[in-house]
Amino acid sequence: MSSSPRHGDPLGLFNTVGHLAEAAWHHPDITAFYAWVEVRLQNHAAKGITDKDFELAKKIKEVIRWQPGKAGKALKGTPQKDRRFAYIKYDV
């Protein structure tokens, strides 16, 4: 799993994944580069991929793909016409 092209905040993604992993007490290998993040999920004790990895991957995907403007009424998300927030891209 790595950051998608629409996610323009690698450090934010890194911290989000780290928080979710800590909360789940399941720690992936995370590598951050200038423009992207790589997350490697595996259960080191089991020496392979387990249900823990699939559950954490699902939660990470759910959180990083959240679009406030589509999910609720009160939260609108970042203004898409404001260039200051151009690094956050939502699927149309």
Side-chain angles (χ1 to χ4, degrees):
M1 173 187 296
S2 62
S3 66
S4 66
R6 71 179 184 81
H7 199 288
D9 181 16
L11 184 57
L13 178 60
F14 184 94
N15 289 330
T16 299
V17 171
H19 171 76
L20 294 171
E22 189 65 24
W25 200 247
H26 187 59
H27 303 94
D29 296 325
I30 308 172
T31 306
F33 295 88
Y34 173 74
W36 55 280
V37 172
E38 181 177 274
V39 179
R40 294 181 184 195
L41 293 165
Q42 69 172 352
N43 188 315
H44 297 285
K47 297 186 173 134
I49 298 173
T50 67
D51 288 342
K52 289 180 180 183
D53 302 298
F54 288 109
E55 275 190 50
L56 183 55
K58 183 179 177 182
K59 179 52 73 177
I60 292 168
K61 187 176 176 180
E62 176 185 312
V63 170
I64 66 171
R65 290 189 172 179
W66 177 57
Q67 295 182 29
K70 290 184 177 182
K73 296 179 182 178
L75 299 173
K76 301 296 181 193
T78 56
Q80 292 299 295
K81 294 181 182 179
D82 191 327
R83 298 191 75 187
R84 294 174 296 168
F85 305 106
Y87 68 94
I88 299 176
K89 305 286 185 206
Y90 294 111
D91 297 331
V92 181

